[in-house]
Amino acid sequence: MHDTELYRCLLGIEQPWTVEEVTLDLAEQRVDVWAGHKEEVRWPCPECGAMMPTYDHAPERTWRHLDSCQFKTFLHARPPRVQCTEHGVLQVKLPWADAKARFTLLFERLAIEVLKETDILGATRILRVSWDEAWHILERAVERGLARKKRKICPQIGVDEKSVGKGHTYITLVCDLKASTVEHIADDRKQTSLDSYFTGLSEEQKEAIEAVAIDIWDPYLASIKAHVAHAEDKIVFDRYHLMTHLGKAVDDVRKKEHRALEKEGDGTLTGSKYLWLYARENLPEKHQERFSLLKALNLKTARAWAIKESFRDLWSYTHRGWAYRHFKKWYFWATHSRLQPIIEKARMMCKYLHNILNYFEHPITNAVSEGLNSKIQTIKKMAYGFRNREHFKTAIYFHCGGLQLYPEVPTE
Ligand SMILES: [Zn+2]
């Protein structure tokens, strides 16, 4: 087999295109392939499809293609142009690459596969492309995916904020809790941030919303109430966020008590911060002995912890009525605890009890998308070089958007 014919097959180049020349540069470890076509070929106008002869050629362009063994491989061609009576002089569509791409479709597909599995830096090493090139492929994949995205019904959504970088910059994420995908990302965590999701929905989509899981955050509450009918019965305060609020109260009690004990030279609570924050069944075994001893002491922190853990039992009920009874008892205990941070959180729970108990009609939580959250954490940690919020958003859509990212490769 002649080397030009070999590359025609390898590149999947079809009529009317042929491979005219192949060069191998051992020193540079690269293969260069030139594609061309016969004179008399007729091409479809990219706008209307009318067939016409070659008008002229655009200057030669180069596309990176899949490697030939360890050799980087580049495809060169002069894209033909046609002169359509209706649409003027236009470049014809090339079978191996998108209009402005610097990579062939097959290379882009491979790059997307790689980018899904690793961070940008890893992809630059595997694919031997620059950071900007790798990022550009990812960005184009997201653009493609968002453009193809069809309207869909999401009956159960979760709304959450994520901080960007180390500053106090936030983004708002709307997740489809059933599909575990990020459906919408907006800047900040204001009412308008979430409004932008709802205003993009059709009436049918809005009516289909059955339940929304959120943390207690007034701007989100206001937005949901403004856009979703019967919102009061559909908003479910996320149990993991609620437990985080109580965990914070326990920690406040611990800090204060620790300071007081330390003044008397008592280091009982030193280094115990995280022990009190675990759910009791999740406490690692190596800490169990110390924790049992701590619990047995007459500590304010231990009392606060017990109150926190008792709140968790709320979700073990199957009926709203029983959960409500449990809450009443718990509330009495918490508000009579003489532990100020606990009392404050107990009042907050009482204020929002209706939405907390909505869980029993709509057992949803943002942690259903636990996989999603850990993915987003990984994206944050990855050396993505988030020079800005837009990069973070694009990466979330890439990894969590459930989008169709791949360019379509023409089949024979
Ligand atoms: Zn035309």
Side-chain angles (χ1 to χ4, degrees):
M1 193 186 253
H2 204 270
D3 56 357
T4 53
E5 178 58 13
L6 172 69
Y7 268 92
R8 194 191 66 72
C9 294
L10 285 178
L11 293 170
I13 284 180
E14 293 295 312
Q15 287 295 342
W17 290 93
T18 53
V19 171
E20 292 182 338
E21 196 187 345
V22 179
T23 64
L24 171 67
D25 187 331
L26 280 174
E28 290 289 322
Q29 299 251 304
R30 63 181 275 165
V31 175
D32 286 273
V33 180
W34 278 266
H37 62 85
K38 292 201 188 85
E39 279 297 319
E40 63 275 18
V41 178
R42 293 173 74 83
W43 312 94
C45 161
E47 292 290 329
C48 64
M51 300 299 285
M52 51 203 90
T54 311
Y55 172 71
D56 65 358
H57 288 90
E60 183 179 298
R61 289 189 48 201
T62 304
W63 297 266
R64 170 83 184 275
H65 187 61
L66 300 175
D67 292 354
S68 313
C69 298
Q70 78 276 31
F71 290 14
K72 279 189 185 178
T73 302
F74 295 89
L75 176 63
H76 305 263
R78 296 182 58 200
R81 305 201 302 167
V82 290
Q83 187 178 30
C84 174
T85 43
E86 202 150 314
H87 301 104
V89 176
L90 291 170
Q91 185 183 308
V92 307
K93 227 178 139 352
L94 300 170
W96 59 80
D98 275 349
K100 285 172 188 156
R102 282 182 288 168
F103 302 95
T104 64
L105 295 169
L106 287 171
F107 187 89
E108 277 201 56
R109 284 186 77 93
L110 171 72
I112 291 167
E113 286 291 347
V114 170
L115 283 162
K116 277 180 160 183
E117 301 299 327
T118 177
D119 61 2
I120 297 283
L121 203 61
T124 65
R125 293 195 191 113
I126 294 167
L127 299 165
R128 296 188 287 170
V129 295
S130 70
W131 199 99
D132 284 338
E133 285 172 329
W135 179 257
H136 189 60
I137 290 174
L138 184 148
E139 213 169 29
R140 277 166 48 83
V142 170
E143 269 171 34
R144 192 182 292 127
L146 289 176
R148 284 176 186 164
K149 194 177 158 110
K150 295 197 178 77
R151 279 187 187 277
K152 67 168 186 175
I153 300 285
C154 305
Q156 299 179 344
I157 57 175
V159 181
D160 209 353
E161 57 173 52
K162 289 272 173 276
S163 64
V164 182
K166 286 174 189 149
H168 294 280
T169 309
Y170 291 90
I171 53 174
T172 295
L173 300 183
V174 181
C175 303
D176 176 344
L177 293 179
K178 278 193 172 155
S180 241
T181 49
V182 173
E183 292 299 310
H184 184 76
I185 311 176
D187 290 342
D188 305 313
R189 47 174 179 169
K190 299 176 187 154
Q191 186 177 342
T192 49
S193 314
L194 185 51
D195 285 345
S196 69
Y197 171 68
F198 292 120
T199 50
L201 299 183
S202 67
E203 279 311 310
E204 187 198 3
Q205 284 175 304
K206 268 194 266 188
E207 276 166 26
I209 296 174
E210 291 166 9
V212 188
I214 55 166
D215 185 15
I216 298 173
W217 181 246
D218 288 336
Y220 290 165
L221 270 174
S223 176
I224 298 166
K225 285 179 182 167
H227 294 281
V228 179
H230 311 294
E232 199 45 46
D233 295 326
K234 294 178 179 174
I235 296 168
V236 182
F237 285 127
D238 179 54
R239 55 188 282 192
Y240 291 90
H241 279 107
L242 294 171
M243 288 312 294
T244 306
H245 284 289
L246 285 173
K248 174 89 178 45
V250 173
D251 199 47
D252 288 344
V253 171
R254 178 198 60 81
K255 272 191 259 178
K256 200 172 164 206
E257 188 171 34
H258 181 47
R259 272 197 299 270
L261 288 175
E262 264 195 328
K263 264 188 200 158
E264 295 160 19
D266 182 342
T268 306
L269 284 170
T270 305
S272 70
K273 175 172 176 169
Y274 293 100
L275 301 183
W276 306 103
L277 298 181
Y278 282 108
R280 63 196 147 204
E281 63 274 20
N282 293 341
L283 184 74
E285 206 172 320
K286 60 179 175 183
H287 297 310
Q288 277 172 8
E289 201 182 326
R290 179 176 181 211
F291 194 60
S292 314
L293 291 173
L294 277 175
K295 269 196 305 183
L297 300 173
N298 189 20
L299 290 165
K300 286 179 181 156
T301 311
R303 253 195 307 133
W305 175 85
I307 295 170
K308 174 194 71 152
E309 286 304 308
S310 166
F311 192 77
R312 197 189 299 280
D313 294 337
L314 190 80
W315 291 286
S316 62
Y317 292 94
T318 42
H319 295 290
R320 190 178 186 118
W322 286 103
Y324 176 66
R325 257 165 270 184
H326 174 79
F327 178 82
K328 275 209 299 193
K329 271 188 270 173
W330 177 85
Y331 184 72
F332 183 85
W333 183 20
T335 48
H336 289 76
S337 66
R338 286 168 282 117
L339 302 168
Q340 201 49 40
I342 292 287
I343 294 170
E344 279 165 27
K345 294 296 181 192
R347 293 208 176 113
M348 182 180 90
M349 300 299 178
C350 186
K351 180 181 169 195
Y352 292 113
L353 187 61
H354 181 77
N355 299 111
I356 295 172
L357 296 180
N358 279 346
Y359 177 84
F360 295 94
E361 280 79 44
H362 306 289
I364 58 166
T365 141
N366 273 330
V368 166
S369 49
E370 187 67 52
L372 212 53
N373 273 318
S374 66
K375 255 196 210 171
I376 293 168
Q377 278 314 109
T378 314
I379 295 169
K380 250 180 102 165
K381 273 188 239 151
M382 274 183 184
Y384 261 113
F386 290 122
R387 288 169 284 214
N388 57 46
R389 185 157 59 178
E390 294 311 309
H391 276 73
F392 188 36
K393 283 156 68 177
T394 304
I396 293 174
Y397 274 130
F398 183 83
H399 291 283
C400 312
L403 302 172
Q404 290 175 270
L405 300 166
Y406 295 99
E408 273 169 48
V409 177
T411 47
E412 288 160 41

